[in-house]
Amino acid sequence: DSLGQLGQNRKINFLAPTRVPGLARITHVSLQRHALAVDAFKQVWSWGDNSCGGQLGPREAANTSRPSRVIGANGVIKVAAGRCFSLALKADGTVVGWGLVPGHGGVTNLRQIPGLSGIVEISAGTAHALARRNDGAVFALGDNAAGQLGQGTVATVSGVVQVPGVAGATTIAAGDSSSMVLLGINRI
C-alpha cells in the first residue's frame, strides 16, 4: 500500500483482506497503481497513486489515499485502470477517460474517447487499452511498441483502431504490453 491504493488513509501493508472504508454497494473495480470502483448509483470512486497527474480524475477530495467520487463520472457501469490513465464505460456504450489516456493527451478532466460507441467491455494495460463492441468487434488504442494493438506491426498508431481479423469476441484482456481476446468458446 505504498501509494495509498488500499484506501486506508495511511501507507501500511496488510497481510490479509481488509475492507476499503467509505465505499458501499460496489459493482465493479479495477486496480493498477491506483484504484477505481463503480457503485450501484453508477458513480466512479478513485484513490491511490496520482503521480502521473490526473489518473484519479477530478475528485471531490484532495486526499489520494482515501476513496473520493470522481466528479462528472456518472452513468458508469465498468472501469479500467491503466498505469497513468483511467477509463470508464458508460451505460450508453460510450467510453470516457482521464489522466494520460494513450493517444489522447493528458488532462484531469473527463473526455469522451472518439471512435468508441456500442461498447460493452473495456480493459486497460500499462499504456494501451482494448474495447469490445456489442457485435464482437475489438478496438485498441495507445502504445504499440510490442504489437499489443493487434495491427500486425509495432508502428505507432494514432487514435482508436479496430483490431483486424477479430470478429465475435466474447471477452478481452489487456496486459502490461500484450492483449488477449476470447473468441467464443475455447478460442483465444
Side-chain angles (χ1 to χ4, degrees), residues 27-30 36-39 42-44 73 75-81 86-91 94-96 98 119-123 132 170-172:
T27 60
H28 193 261
V29 295
S30 185
L36 301 170
V38 179
D39 67 20
K42 297 183 174 146
Q43 300 175 109
V44 176
V76 173
I77 55 174
K78 294 181 182 177
V79 286
S86 298
L87 297 176
L89 173 59
K90 299 184 83 173
T94 60
V95 177
V96 295
W98 57 92
I119 302 301
V120 295
E121 183 182 14
I122 55 175
S123 182
R132 180 173 59 90
T170 56
T171 302
I172 54 175

Coordinates of all heavy atoms in Angstrom, one line a residue, residues 27-30 36-39 42-44 73 75-81 86-91 94-96 98 119-123 132 170-172:
T27 N -20.1 -2.3 -7.5 CA -20.5 -3.3 -8.5 C -19.3 -3.7 -9.5 O -19.4 -4.7 -10.1 CB -21.6 -2.7 -9.4 OG1 -21.2 -1.5 -10.0 CG2 -22.9 -2.5 -8.6
H28 N -18.3 -2.8 -9.5 CA -17.1 -3.1 -10.4 C -15.9 -2.4 -9.9 O -16.0 -1.3 -9.3 CB -17.4 -2.7 -11.8 CG -16.5 -3.2 -12.8 ND1 -15.4 -2.5 -13.3 CD2 -16.4 -4.4 -13.4 CE1 -14.7 -3.2 -14.2 NE2 -15.3 -4.4 -14.2
V29 N -14.7 -3.1 -10.0 CA -13.5 -2.5 -9.6 C -12.4 -2.7 -10.6 O -12.5 -3.6 -11.4 CB -13.0 -3.0 -8.2 CG1 -14.0 -2.6 -7.1 CG2 -12.8 -4.5 -8.3
S30 N -11.3 -1.9 -10.6 CA -10.1 -2.1 -11.4 C -9.0 -1.5 -10.6 O -9.1 -0.5 -9.9 CB -10.3 -1.4 -12.7 OG -9.2 -1.7 -13.6
L36 N -10.0 2.1 -8.9 CA -11.2 2.6 -9.3 C -12.4 1.7 -8.9 O -12.2 0.5 -8.9 CB -11.3 2.7 -10.8 CG -10.2 3.6 -11.5 CD1 -10.2 3.4 -13.0 CD2 -10.4 5.1 -11.1
A37 N -13.5 2.3 -8.5 CA -14.7 1.5 -8.2 C -15.9 2.2 -8.7 O -16.0 3.4 -8.8 CB -14.8 1.3 -6.7
V38 N -16.9 1.3 -9.1 CA -18.2 1.8 -9.5 C -19.2 1.4 -8.5 O -19.2 0.2 -8.1 CB -18.6 1.3 -10.9 CG1 -20.0 1.8 -11.4 CG2 -17.5 1.6 -12.0
D39 N -20.1 2.3 -8.1 CA -21.1 2.0 -7.1 C -22.4 1.7 -7.8 O -22.6 1.9 -9.0 CB -21.2 3.0 -6.0 CG -21.7 4.4 -6.4 OD1 -22.4 4.5 -7.5 OD2 -21.5 5.3 -5.7
K42 N -23.9 4.1 -10.2 CA -23.2 4.3 -11.4 C -22.3 5.5 -11.3 O -22.0 6.2 -12.3 CB -24.1 4.4 -12.6 CG -24.9 3.1 -12.8 CD -25.8 3.1 -14.1 CE -26.3 1.7 -14.2 NZ -27.6 1.7 -14.7
Q43 N -21.7 5.7 -10.1 CA -20.7 6.8 -9.9 C -19.4 6.1 -9.8 O -19.3 5.0 -9.3 CB -21.0 7.5 -8.6 CG -22.4 8.2 -8.7 CD -22.7 8.9 -7.4 OE1 -22.7 10.1 -7.3 NE2 -22.9 8.1 -6.3
V44 N -18.3 6.8 -10.1 CA -16.9 6.3 -10.0 C -16.2 6.9 -8.8 O -16.3 8.1 -8.6 CB -16.1 6.6 -11.3 CG1 -14.7 6.1 -11.2 CG2 -16.8 5.9 -12.5
A73 N -18.2 11.6 -13.5 CA -18.3 10.3 -13.9 C -19.5 9.6 -13.5 O -19.6 8.9 -12.5 CB -17.0 9.5 -13.4
G75 N -23.3 7.5 -14.7 CA -23.9 6.6 -15.6 C -22.9 5.5 -16.1 O -23.0 5.0 -17.2
V76 N -21.9 5.2 -15.2 CA -20.8 4.3 -15.5 C -21.1 2.9 -15.0 O -21.7 2.7 -13.9 CB -19.5 4.8 -14.9 CG1 -18.4 3.8 -15.0 CG2 -19.1 6.2 -15.5
I77 N -20.8 1.9 -15.8 CA -21.1 0.5 -15.4 C -19.8 -0.3 -15.2 O -19.8 -1.3 -14.5 CB -22.0 -0.2 -16.5 CG1 -21.4 -0.1 -17.9 CG2 -23.4 0.4 -16.4 CD1 -22.2 -1.0 -18.9
K78 N -18.7 0.1 -15.9 CA -17.4 -0.6 -15.7 C -16.2 0.4 -15.8 O -16.4 1.5 -16.4 CB -17.2 -1.6 -16.8 CG -18.2 -2.8 -16.7 CD -17.9 -3.8 -17.7 CE -19.0 -4.9 -17.6 NZ -18.9 -5.9 -18.7
V79 N -15.1 0.1 -15.1 CA -13.9 0.9 -15.2 C -12.7 0.1 -15.5 O -12.7 -1.1 -15.3 CB -13.7 1.7 -13.8 CG1 -14.7 2.8 -13.6 CG2 -13.8 0.7 -12.7
A80 N -11.7 0.8 -16.0 CA -10.4 0.1 -16.3 C -9.3 1.1 -15.9 O -9.2 2.2 -16.4 CB -10.3 -0.3 -17.8
A81 N -8.4 0.6 -15.1 CA -7.2 1.4 -14.6 C -6.0 1.0 -15.4 O -5.5 -0.1 -15.3 CB -7.0 1.2 -13.1
S86 N -7.2 6.4 -16.7 CA -8.4 5.7 -16.2 C -9.4 5.8 -17.4 O -9.6 6.8 -18.0 CB -9.0 6.3 -15.0 OG -8.1 6.2 -13.9
L87 N -10.2 4.7 -17.5 CA -11.3 4.6 -18.5 C -12.6 4.2 -17.8 O -12.5 3.4 -16.8 CB -11.0 3.6 -19.6 CG -9.8 3.9 -20.5 CD1 -9.7 2.7 -21.5 CD2 -10.0 5.2 -21.3
A88 N -13.7 4.7 -18.2 CA -15.0 4.4 -17.7 C -16.0 4.1 -18.8 O -16.1 4.9 -19.8 CB -15.5 5.5 -16.8
L89 N -16.6 3.0 -18.8 CA -17.6 2.6 -19.7 C -19.0 3.0 -19.2 O -19.4 2.6 -18.1 CB -17.6 1.0 -20.0 CG -18.7 0.5 -20.8 CD1 -18.7 1.1 -22.2 CD2 -18.6 -1.1 -20.9
K90 N -19.6 3.9 -20.0 CA -20.9 4.4 -19.6 C -22.0 3.4 -20.1 O -21.9 2.6 -21.0 CB -21.1 5.8 -20.1 CG -20.1 6.7 -19.6 CD -20.3 8.1 -20.0 CE -21.3 8.7 -19.1 NZ -21.5 10.2 -19.3
A91 N -23.2 3.5 -19.4 CA -24.3 2.6 -19.7 C -24.8 2.8 -21.2 O -25.4 1.9 -21.7 CB -25.5 2.9 -18.8
T94 N -20.7 4.4 -24.5 CA -19.6 5.3 -24.8 C -18.5 5.1 -23.7 O -18.8 4.6 -22.7 CB -20.0 6.8 -24.9 OG1 -20.6 7.2 -23.7 CG2 -21.0 7.0 -26.1
V95 N -17.3 5.6 -24.0 CA -16.2 5.5 -23.1 C -15.6 6.9 -22.8 O -15.4 7.6 -23.8 CB -15.1 4.5 -23.6 CG1 -13.9 4.5 -22.7 CG2 -15.7 3.2 -23.9
V96 N -15.4 7.2 -21.6 CA -14.7 8.4 -21.2 C -13.4 8.1 -20.5 O -13.3 7.0 -19.9 CB -15.6 9.3 -20.3 CG1 -16.8 9.8 -21.0 CG2 -15.9 8.6 -19.0
W98 N -9.6 9.8 -18.4 CA -9.0 10.9 -17.8 C -7.5 10.5 -17.4 O -7.2 9.3 -17.5 CB -9.7 11.4 -16.6 CG -10.0 10.4 -15.5 CD1 -9.2 10.2 -14.4 CD2 -11.2 9.6 -15.4 NE1 -9.8 9.2 -13.7 CE2 -11.0 8.8 -14.2 CE3 -12.3 9.4 -16.2 CZ2 -11.9 7.9 -13.8 CZ3 -13.2 8.4 -15.8 CH2 -13.0 7.7 -14.7
I119 N -20.0 0.1 -27.0 CA -19.0 -0.7 -26.3 C -19.7 -1.4 -25.1 O -20.5 -0.8 -24.4 CB -17.9 0.2 -25.8 CG1 -17.2 0.9 -27.0 CG2 -16.8 -0.6 -25.0 CD1 -16.6 0.0 -28.0
V120 N -19.3 -2.7 -24.8 CA -19.8 -3.5 -23.7 C -18.7 -3.9 -22.7 O -19.1 -4.4 -21.7 CB -20.6 -4.7 -24.2 CG1 -21.8 -4.2 -25.0 CG2 -19.7 -5.6 -25.1
E121 N -17.5 -3.8 -23.1 CA -16.4 -4.2 -22.2 C -15.1 -3.3 -22.5 O -14.9 -3.0 -23.7 CB -16.1 -5.7 -22.4 CG -15.0 -6.2 -21.5 CD -14.7 -7.7 -21.7 OE1 -15.1 -8.2 -22.8 OE2 -14.0 -8.3 -20.9
I122 N -14.4 -3.0 -21.4 CA -13.1 -2.3 -21.6 C -12.1 -3.0 -20.7 O -12.4 -3.6 -19.7 CB -13.2 -0.8 -21.2 CG1 -13.8 -0.6 -19.8 CG2 -14.0 0.0 -22.2 CD1 -13.8 0.8 -19.3
S123 N -10.8 -2.9 -21.1 CA -9.7 -3.4 -20.4 C -8.5 -2.5 -20.6 O -8.2 -2.1 -21.8 CB -9.4 -4.8 -20.8 OG -8.4 -5.4 -20.0
R132 N -14.4 -3.7 -26.4 CA -15.2 -4.7 -27.2 C -16.6 -4.1 -27.4 O -17.3 -3.7 -26.5 CB -15.3 -6.0 -26.4 CG -16.1 -7.1 -27.2 CD -16.1 -8.4 -26.5 NE -16.6 -8.4 -25.2 CZ -17.9 -8.7 -24.8 NH1 -18.8 -8.9 -25.8 NH2 -18.2 -8.6 -23.6
T170 N -15.8 -12.4 -27.3 CA -16.7 -12.5 -26.1 C -16.0 -11.9 -24.8 O -16.7 -11.6 -23.9 CB -17.1 -14.0 -25.8 OG1 -16.0 -14.8 -25.7 CG2 -18.0 -14.5 -27.0
T171 N -14.7 -11.8 -24.8 CA -14.0 -11.3 -23.7 C -12.7 -10.7 -24.2 O -12.1 -11.2 -25.1 CB -13.7 -12.3 -22.6 OG1 -14.9 -12.9 -22.2 CG2 -13.0 -11.8 -21.4
I172 N -12.2 -9.6 -23.5 CA -10.9 -9.0 -23.9 C -10.1 -8.9 -22.6 O -10.6 -8.8 -21.5 CB -11.1 -7.6 -24.5 CG1 -12.0 -6.7 -23.6 CG2 -11.7 -7.8 -25.9 CD1 -12.1 -5.3 -24.1

